[in-house]
Amino acid sequence: MSSLTVSSVYKKRKSYTWLYFLLPSIAIMLVFFIYPILLTFFYSFTNLALTGEAAKELKFVGFDNYVRMFHDPTVRVSIWNTLIFLIGSAVIGQQVLGFIIALLMKHKNRLFRRIIGTIVLAGWVTPEIVCALCLYSFFGDEGTLNAILSFVGISDVTWLYTVPMLTIILANIWHGTAFSMLVFQAALDDVPTEIEEAAVVDGASRLQILFRITIPYIKDTILTNMMLVTLQTLGVFGLIYAMTGGGPGTSTTTLPIFMYNQAFVNYQLGYGTAISLLLLLLGIVLSLFYIRSMKEQ
Amino acid sequence: MNAKQRNLIYRILPYLILTVIGICFLLPLLWVLVASVDSNALQSLKMPTRFTGANYGAVITNGENQRAFLIGLVMSLGQAVIVVILGLLAAYPLSRYQMKYKKPFMLTILFMTSLPITAVMVPVYQLFLSLKLYNNIFGVILFYVASSMPYGIWMLKNFMDSVPNDMEEAAWVDGASVFTGIRKVVAPLMIPGICTVAIFTFSGSWGNFFVPYILLQSPENFPASLKLYQFFGQYGMADYGKLAAFSVLYALPSVVLYILSQQFMSKGFGLQGGTKG
């Protein structure tokens, strides 16, 4: 009796009822997410602007924005800055530091692990504007770092002016390392202890075990994590904007900052969109790699 | 150096390195905590001149700040509730029905979870101008919902997969509709998953700066994140105590929610979020 009723419900399901369930979320994603992505491609070929002549009528300008980008020295600087920021803070900084923390924490005193883990996590949980403020004051002219250094006789380094890129890289490491730490902690826990123990018996050194066994074993996790961290770092805006505003000069102007300046300070929306397309394409390529790696797992 | 000494070094060294790393991470954070209760806070970390609650008092009693916190709360709560409701609805057929394009659809969803939102903000701004949603708090909520919908659907679908069919089927036999089945049987069994999604979407928008910065114009619409930035620019140099107190109050919900979410994420932290695809 009951099986009959159930199967009739299943039969009913074969109609298009699923559409009603999915429709609201698909509609909202289409309008506010997918449509803007398509617009990015479209607007980047227009002279869209907020003020002046171009604001009155939207015109197709073909590849003008891209030609302009190609000749714009600031674009080259921003791409370069973005790469340094990505590699310094995400690929190397967060990943390596996160891995080192996770590795060193293994089999340590529980209370100690908890304390260190909580401190690192605190930087991750803290909203980015608060992170910017904390690190701005840390690196400030009269900030904590200079106060500490004055004890050893080094006086008043203007960190935010002399090495601005380093300060935002360290700030992003401070903010993001916990994610990699958590990922690697989970991955390292999955490495079977028998393999490592067998290597010890065979007389392998600690470094050999690390590079020949542990790292190859979690290779997939490292790759997936690298793509996720890079994707997260690619879009970082608030942290840099609040700490240095992209300056001094253009020394910390990454692509998101440059896009913002072109679109909302110079009101060149079309040009700004062309720049954001660069970001988007980079994001799309990395995301495709990411889902490919997820499919394999 | 003999073997015994070397062993000792190998045992102590990790603690030493971790302690140094820990101190580096702690110092910037300690500053904001200490400065917030210092009657005469400076840019650098120091012992408070006098412990005081006055900074917090001044921030909390300020009407503009209250408004900013309230707006932030409305945005993030609104987003979290809508994402959970729409996400549950979308997850249901994805989890229970045989559908032709389920796999490519789920992969598209996964793909969308990782796209950088920053890259679409210029067109979104233009879209909001033409839809008359610019400078509208509700508009920001809509965009937040759209941008976190992929994450919500992905997570809720996977959580729903682990709820067995039997109980729901039993409810149908007793005359319950599909909706009642979701509401009374499936959703209650997914409370940990629902809380995880709600907490992560809430924290994501609570901490977001760029989206409201682009989509809102008048200061009376600003959520807490923009208010803090404004505060930072205007009075930052003058009043570190209040700035720090505002920061701590603003960061507090994110911290509390993170701690809460740990109780729901019993499965630990894997890249898959404890799911099968």
Side-chain angles (χ1 to χ4, degrees):
Chain A
M1 174 64 207
S2 80
S3 66
L4 249 177
T5 331
V6 169
S7 72
S8 70
V9 177
Y10 273 116
K11 228 169 228 161
K12 250 194 270 172
R13 286 172 157 195
K14 276 193 182 143
S15 62
Y16 285 92
T17 34
W18 59 268
L19 204 63
Y20 303 121
F21 288 95
L22 277 167
L23 211 58
S25 41
I26 290 182
I28 205 167
M29 282 191 291
L30 273 179
V31 176
F32 293 104
F33 199 175
I34 295 169
Y35 182 53
I37 291 176
L38 299 177
L39 278 180
T40 309
F41 287 90
F42 173 70
Y43 281 150
S44 67
F45 294 102
T46 67
N47 64 347
L48 187 67
L50 280 181
T51 53
E53 281 292 295
K56 288 180 200 125
E57 87 188 290
L58 191 66
K59 262 201 306 205
F60 255 99
V61 294
F63 285 93
D64 278 12
N65 287 323
Y66 294 96
V67 174
R68 187 173 158 196
M69 251 167 72
F70 197 72
H71 291 290
D72 190 340
T74 321
V75 170
R76 251 166 285 162
V77 173
S78 320
I79 293 176
W80 182 239
N81 285 341
T82 309
L83 284 177
I84 296 179
F85 184 66
L86 276 179
I87 294 171
S89 74
V91 179
I92 297 178
Q94 292 179 12
Q95 281 238 117
V96 174
L97 191 61
F99 182 79
I100 290 176
I101 297 174
L103 189 72
L104 293 180
M105 288 242 258
K106 231 181 149 187
H107 310 306
K108 294 295 176 303
N109 176 296
R110 262 187 80 184
L111 181 68
F112 183 77
R113 278 176 68 137
R114 251 208 131 104
I115 293 171
I116 300 291
T118 307
I119 293 171
V120 177
L121 272 166
W124 186 48
V125 174
T126 305
E128 62 175 344
I129 294 298
V130 179
C131 290
L133 172 66
C134 287
L135 282 124
Y136 177 84
S137 83
F138 183 75
F139 289 115
D141 295 351
E142 284 150 28
T144 310
L145 185 58
N146 277 339
I148 294 169
L149 288 177
S150 70
F151 277 114
V152 290
I154 302 168
S155 59
D156 292 359
V157 184
T158 49
W159 300 103
L160 290 156
Y161 291 93
T162 40
V163 280
M165 183 51 90
L166 186 67
T167 62
I168 60 166
I169 285 177
L170 289 174
N172 196 42
I173 291 176
W174 190 81
H175 184 38
T177 297
F179 179 81
S180 299
M181 177 187 83
L182 292 172
V183 169
F184 287 131
Q185 271 180 335
L188 287 175
D189 282 342
D190 284 344
V191 178
T193 39
E194 297 85 28
I195 307 182
E196 287 173 336
E197 278 162 10
V200 174
V201 173
D202 290 343
S205 74
R206 280 160 209 265
L207 277 181
Q208 276 176 326
I209 295 177
L210 179 64
F211 285 105
R212 298 265 174 89
I213 295 170
T214 315
I215 290 178
Y217 196 88
I218 63 166
K219 193 180 74 222
D220 289 345
T221 308
I222 294 175
L223 281 176
T224 312
N225 184 57
M226 190 175 321
M227 278 175 285
L228 279 181
V229 168
T230 310
L231 278 164
Q232 284 162 10
T233 309
L234 200 59
V236 170
F237 175 84
L239 190 70
I240 303 174
Y241 190 68
M243 271 183 79
T244 65
T250 51
S251 54
T252 52
T253 302
T254 56
L255 282 172
I257 303 268
F258 186 58
M259 172 195 91
Y260 173 82
N261 283 338
Q262 286 306 322
F264 299 106
V265 180
N266 299 339
Y267 303 127
Q268 298 296 311
L269 288 182
Y271 190 43
T273 312
I275 298 156
S276 62
L277 191 67
L278 258 185
L279 272 180
L280 191 62
L281 289 177
L282 208 58
I284 287 174
V285 170
L286 282 165
S287 301
L288 285 175
F289 273 115
Y290 166 63
I291 57 167
R292 243 188 89 177
S293 75
M294 289 294 275
K295 249 164 100 181
E296 280 162 15
Q297 274 173 31
Chain B
M1 188 163 70
N2 61 34
K4 215 172 172 185
Q5 280 172 320
R6 194 184 303 161
N7 246 334
L8 195 70
I9 288 175
Y10 272 131
R11 278 183 52 190
I12 294 175
L13 203 60
Y15 283 98
L16 216 68
I17 298 171
L18 283 175
T19 308
V20 172
I21 294 173
I23 290 172
C24 290
F25 272 85
L26 186 63
L27 282 174
L29 200 68
L30 210 56
W31 170 80
V32 78
L33 293 174
V34 174
S36 71
V37 291
D38 187 346
S39 64
N40 183 30
L42 298 175
Q43 198 182 41
S44 81
L45 182 63
K46 67 171 178 68
M47 272 307 285
T49 317
R50 193 166 49 81
F51 278 103
T52 175
N55 295 328
Y56 285 100
V59 169
I60 293 172
T61 50
N62 180 312
E64 281 182 33
N65 292 345
Q66 292 169 353
R67 192 185 162 87
F69 273 96
L70 193 68
I71 290 172
L73 205 66
V74 168
M75 280 182 182
S76 299
L77 262 182
Q79 177 213 17
V81 170
I82 298 174
V83 166
V84 165
I85 292 174
L86 295 188
L88 275 175
L89 280 181
Y92 187 76
L94 290 169
S95 167
R96 295 292 195 258
Y97 291 17
Q98 299 290 328
M99 277 158 53
K100 212 171 168 185
Y101 300 107
K102 187 149 89 180
K103 200 149 187 211
F105 183 80
M106 285 311 284
L107 282 175
T108 313
I109 290 286
L110 181 63
F111 171 70
M112 285 167 71
T113 58
S114 55
L115 282 182
I117 296 298
T118 313
V120 295
M121 284 320 288
V122 182
V124 168
Y125 166 80
Q126 188 64 23
L127 180 70
F128 269 52
L129 280 183
S130 54
L131 291 177
K132 305 265 181 288
L133 281 171
Y134 180 60
N135 199 22
N136 181 333
I137 296 169
F138 186 68
V140 178
I141 297 178
L142 277 180
F143 181 70
Y144 274 147
V145 169
S147 61
S148 54
M149 210 65 237
Y151 166 80
I153 293 176
W154 177 260
M155 293 294 282
L156 289 170
K157 187 256 175 193
N158 286 313
F159 277 115
M160 203 177 269
D161 282 346
S162 58
V163 176
N165 284 344
D166 325 12
M167 294 171 79
E168 198 188 343
E169 281 163 7
W172 295 338
V173 175
D174 291 344
S177 70
V178 173
F179 278 107
T180 318
I182 299 176
R183 208 159 45 91
K184 295 264 172 75
V185 181
V186 184
L189 287 171
M190 290 174 60
I191 292 292
I194 289 174
C195 289
T196 307
V197 171
I199 287 173
F200 273 77
T201 43
F202 184 99
S203 306
S205 57
W206 180 259
N208 199 313
F209 168 76
F210 197 43
V211 172
Y213 190 60
I214 298 294
L215 299 181
L216 295 174
Q217 186 182 35
S218 27
E220 70 261 23
N221 284 346
F222 283 2
S225 57
L226 288 192
K227 195 84 206 156
L228 177 58
Y229 177 73
Q230 219 186 7
F231 202 151
F232 191 17
Q234 281 175 355
Y235 320 103
M237 308 305 130
D239 207 336
Y240 282 110
K242 284 201 197 95
L243 191 61
F246 191 111
S247 304
V248 173
L249 286 172
Y250 166 56
L252 208 59
S254 304
V255 175
V256 172
L257 285 175
Y258 178 77
I259 295 169
L260 271 179
S261 75
Q262 288 312 290
Q263 308 200 301
F264 300 120
M265 289 180 45
S266 52
K267 279 181 182 168
F269 199 91
L271 280 174
Q272 291 92 339
T275 57
K276 52 184 169 107

